[in-house]
Amino acid sequence: MNDVQKSVIVSSFAPEIKTGGQRIMSSPIQFQTFESESTFLHPRKGFSPFTERFEVRVDPLTGRTGHFSHFGAIKPQKLNLDSYATPEIKGFCPFCLENRDKVTPKFTDEVVAEGRLVRNEACLIPNLFPYDIHSGVLIMTDPHVVPLQELNETRLFDSLVLGVQFLKKIKAISPDLPYHLMTWNYMPPSGGGLVHPHQQYFATPNPGNQFLDELKASEGFLNASGANYWSELIEVERATGVRYIGQIGASSWLSSFVSLGILGEILCVFPDVFTVDQFTDGHVGDLVAGLLKIFKYYGATDIYSFNASLFFGPEGQRSFACHFRITARTFLNMRDYAPDLNFFQALLCEPVSVMMPEKLCMALKEYF
Ligand SMILES: [Zn+2]
C-alpha cells in the first residue's frame, strides 16, 4: 500500500477585532491549523485511491498540538444507569448514607472543627487516599445513582458553593499552597471509581502539567503583548463567532480550539476572577446556569459521562483567569468497554477529537 501524506498550514492568523470605536486591531492570539490528508487504496472501493482528511491544531496558549480525525466515527454509548443500582454491580459504596458516617474520614480540628462540611445534600470529607496535602472529596447527593437531568440547580449550586468555601478556608489556613482546583469524574466512562456523584477539591503547589503550562503561558502572553490572554480570547472568539457559545453573567462559554476530550471540549472563562477568594456565589450561579444548558445538550446526544475541572490561579497575578473545562466521555463500545483514551493520550500526551469545535459550538448555541 502506498501511503501519501501531505501537510499544509491552512490558517495561522491573528484575527482582527473591533475595539471601542471603529478602529480595527490585530489580536496577538494565533490560531494555527495544519490541514492534512492521507491517501490509500480503499478495500471497499475496489482498491482505488482514496483520500481521508484530518487536522492538527496548535493550542493558542500552550503551543501543544491536538489531532482532529475519524470524524463522526465514534458515537457516545448509552449507559444502563439502573444497572448501577443493582446489588451485584453496586457493591459497597462508602458515600451512601447508610455507610457514610462510619467509613468516611473526618478533617482534623485545624481544618474543619466539625469534621465534615455539609450544605443540604452536599457533604465534604477528606480523601481516604489523598493526592495532595489538602485533598477534599465532595459527595454531591444522597442517592447513589443520579442521572444528569437530576443533577439539578440546587445540587450543583450547593456542591460548588461548599467546595469553593472549602478552598477559601484552606487558602486562609495554608497560604503557602498557591494553587486551587476542582476536578470531577462523572460516571464510569470518565474514569470515576465510584458511581455516587462526587467532586474533588485541592489546594496544592503541584496542580498538574496542564494547569502549570497554562499558568506559565498566560504570564508569558501578558508580558509579551500587554494583554490578558483570557480576556483577549473571549474578544477574539466573540468577534469571529465560530467557537463562541454565549455569555452568562460574568462567564463566557466557548468551544476550545484544541479539545482535550475525544467528543470535544467546552471552556467557561471568568475573565475578572484570578484567585479563589474572588469567586462569589454569583459566579457559582453563572457556572451552574451554563452547566445545566450543557447537560441538556448531553442528554439530547446520549452523553452520560464527563470530566470537568475548575482552575484558580495564585495571589498577586492578573494573567491567569479562572476557567472551567468540561469534556464528554464515553466507552468506545459496550462489548468490551474499551475506553475512549488510548496511546495518544497515555503515551504521546496528544489529545484526539472526533468533534470539530465549530460544530460543537453550533450545536450548543441552541441551548444557550
Ligand atoms: Zn453510593
Side-chain angles (χ1 to χ4, degrees):
M1 196 176 286
N2 180 25
D3 278 12
V4 177
Q5 181 177 309
K6 60 181 179 179
S7 184
V8 286
I9 300 176
V10 294
S11 60
S12 174
F13 63 99
E16 293 196 324
I17 57 173
K18 285 185 180 170
T19 56
Q22 288 301 306
R23 199 166 65 88
I24 301 287
M25 62 176 288
S26 185
S27 169
I29 292 183
Q30 299 277 325
F31 292 101
Q32 191 175 27
T33 300
F34 299 89
E35 199 167 277
S36 303
E37 56 189 39
S38 178
T39 299
F40 53 90
L41 305 180
H42 203 299
R44 292 199 296 272
K45 297 179 188 301
F47 292 99
S48 59
F50 183 84
T51 299
E52 193 72 73
R53 302 181 67 79
F54 64 95
E55 281 189 13
V56 177
R57 293 184 176 194
V58 182
D59 186 279
L61 180 62
T62 62
R64 290 200 300 229
T65 55
H67 275 65
F68 291 83
S69 64
H70 226 62
F71 303 114
I74 293 170
K75 301 272 184 262
Q77 302 289 311
K78 287 186 181 172
L79 293 184
N80 180 3
L81 298 186
D82 292 338
S83 72
Y84 291 141
T86 60
E88 58 272 33
I89 291 183
K90 184 183 171 193
F92 177 80
C93 175
F95 296 168
C96 274
L97 284 174
E98 65 269 25
N99 303 322
R100 196 184 292 173
D101 273 355
K102 278 174 286 180
V103 304
T104 61
K106 293 181 180 178
F107 289 103
T108 57
D109 283 350
E110 311 84 73
V111 181
V112 178
E114 55 272 45
R116 301 180 182 117
L117 289 176
V118 176
R119 181 184 168 110
N120 298 320
E121 283 182 71
C123 174
L124 205 145
I125 59 173
N127 198 331
L128 198 56
F129 307 100
Y131 293 96
D132 224 303
I133 299 164
H134 294 289
S135 191
V137 175
L138 189 139
I139 305 165
M140 301 178 71
T141 62
D142 289 346
H144 180 72
V145 180
V146 182
L148 270 185
Q149 58 273 25
E150 290 173 25
L151 276 185
N152 56 30
E153 186 175 2
T154 306
R155 283 171 164 162
L156 291 171
F157 188 80
D158 284 340
S159 296
L160 286 158
V161 163
L162 192 67
V164 168
Q165 183 192 326
F166 171 72
L167 293 181
K168 289 175 180 172
K169 199 176 170 72
I170 294 302
K171 186 163 182 277
I173 297 168
S174 303
D176 53 321
L177 300 174
Y179 313 124
H180 302 89
L181 64 158
M182 181 280 290
T183 56
W184 188 0
N185 302 319
Y186 177 73
M187 290 292 167
S190 72
L194 289 168
V195 165
H196 203 128
H198 63 285
Q199 302 169 326
Q200 305 207 26
Y201 289 83
F202 302 102
T204 177
N206 300 300
N209 293 308
Q210 179 70 25
F211 189 116
L212 285 181
D213 283 358
E214 289 182 14
L215 180 72
K216 282 179 207 149
S218 297
E219 189 185 0
F221 189 92
L222 182 66
N223 291 340
S225 70
N228 177 284
Y229 171 80
W230 301 91
S231 298
E232 188 75 17
L233 180 70
I234 292 167
E235 284 313 306
V236 170
E237 294 292 38
R238 200 198 312 261
T240 55
V242 291
R243 290 176 296 273
Y244 188 82
I245 298 166
Q247 181 177 354
I248 299 174
S251 63
S252 288
W253 297 74
L254 320 163
S255 58
S256 300
F257 184 69
V258 175
S259 310
L260 293 181
I262 200 154
L263 296 170
E265 172 190 304
I266 300 154
L267 190 65
C268 163
V269 182
F270 293 89
D272 301 321
V273 175
F274 297 98
T275 68
V276 70
D277 287 333
Q278 298 165 349
F279 203 70
T280 65
D281 288 1
H283 293 117
V284 173
D286 295 341
L287 179 57
V288 168
L291 261 180
L292 289 170
K293 294 175 193 299
I294 290 170
F295 289 172
K296 279 201 177 124
Y297 162 76
Y298 282 177
T301 51
D302 281 340
I303 289 169
Y304 290 75
S305 178
F306 59 80
N307 295 121
S309 62
L310 178 64
F311 289 178
F312 297 102
E315 277 295 327
Q317 54 82 30
R318 291 186 65 80
S319 56
F320 186 63
C322 167
H323 55 283
F324 172 85
R325 174 178 278 121
I326 183 165
T327 60
R329 297 290 308 276
T330 187
F331 292 122
L332 290 190
N333 61 62
M334 301 303 283
R335 184 192 61 227
D336 43 19
Y337 298 100
D340 64 3
L341 305 180
N342 51 43
F343 69 79
F344 269 108
Q345 296 84 359
L347 299 176
L348 306 188
C349 294
E350 174 81 356
V352 179
S353 180
V354 299
M355 169 66 89
M356 294 306 288
E358 296 72 22
K359 196 177 163 193
L360 179 64
C361 175
M362 207 183 296
L364 270 156
K365 270 183 179 169
E366 291 181 24
Y367 297 85
F368 271 69

